[in-house]
Amino acid sequence: VLFSISKSFAYLSFKIVSYENYNKNDMNEFLEHTMVKINLMSEIEIRSLKNTFIDCMKKAKILFEKDYFAKPSKRKETPNPISKTLFESIGYTLDKYKIEDIDNNKLKLREKIYELYEDEEFILKTSVATNNPPQVRYRFSKFQELFKNVIGY
């Protein structure tokens, strides 16, 4: 549960502050900065964030069905755990689209995402030094480009 909270908070941090403003290789400082922002938010703003997060998880379920936010498993019978880097970057991108857009394009999106999972550079940059700002920008931009190419905006 604690790791799930950690993933959710990192996703929200990128949502609130934006990955484009992640400039230092210091996730703790980034998360602390987000906490300061959250503490200054109104109840309505916090509720809106909560609803955004829930909508994002609904979109993820539509898109992936059961194996969402996990890198493909080498052993098909044993799924990999949720990847924090995929959770952050796919979640951030899903937020930009309507549920209908995800539902109407889920097969093509899934196909393109799985193709990306076969790219050695992508796997490396989402597995090693994942808090390094260039790695962060790389993975976020990869998913945004992928969704834009499939959905059209």
Side-chain angles (χ1 to χ4, degrees):
V1 171
L2 184 59
F3 191 61
S4 296
I5 292 169
S6 157
K7 288 178 202 160
S8 300
F9 186 54
Y11 154 78
L12 287 171
S13 294
F14 285 115
K15 168 86 178 121
I16 294 166
V17 180
S18 180
Y19 75 93
E20 294 158 330
N21 294 321
Y22 182 76
N23 298 315
K24 287 200 273 184
N25 191 4
D26 189 344
M27 184 57 73
N28 286 335
E29 182 180 310
F30 186 70
L31 297 175
E32 287 171 11
H33 179 67
T34 301
M35 274 310 298
V36 169
K37 286 186 163 285
I38 290 172
N39 287 330
L40 295 172
M41 288 181 175
S42 69
E43 191 64 36
I44 292 170
E45 290 171 308
I46 291 172
R47 201 169 335 171
S48 176
L49 274 176
K50 176 184 171 186
N51 292 337
T52 298
F53 179 78
I54 291 168
D55 285 346
C56 178
M57 295 304 101
K58 288 176 184 176
K59 293 172 195 175
K61 184 171 179 155
I62 290 167
L63 176 58
F64 292 110
E65 294 175 351
K66 58 183 173 81
D67 294 329
Y68 42 103
F69 304 122
K71 292 179 185 170
S73 175
K74 300 241 189 271
R75 290 175 274 141
K76 298 288 181 199
E77 69 279 352
T78 310
N80 277 332
I82 292 173
S83 163
K84 182 176 173 283
T85 58
L86 298 181
F87 186 85
E88 294 164 356
S89 48
I90 294 174
Y92 181 93
T93 304
L94 282 170
D95 183 45
K96 297 175 180 272
Y97 295 92
K98 297 176 194 159
I99 286 179
E100 299 80 30
D101 293 329
I102 301 302
D103 195 30
N104 293 337
N105 293 284
K106 65 185 173 191
L107 296 178
K108 187 70 171 173
L109 284 167
R110 203 178 303 150
E111 174 189 326
K112 292 297 182 185
I113 289 169
Y114 291 145
E115 285 176 16
L116 190 56
Y117 290 168
E118 293 174 11
D119 180 296
E120 288 182 35
E121 180 183 17
F122 178 81
I123 293 300
L124 181 66
K125 289 187 175 187
T126 57
S127 303
V128 178
T130 59
N131 288 336
N132 186 336
Q135 313 297 64
V136 169
R137 283 189 289 282
Y138 173 86
R139 70 175 186 260
F140 276 82
S141 65
K142 275 297 197 187
F143 282 112
Q144 289 182 74
E145 177 184 320
L146 183 152
F147 276 69
K148 183 179 180 181
N149 288 341
V150 172
I151 296 175
Y153 71 93

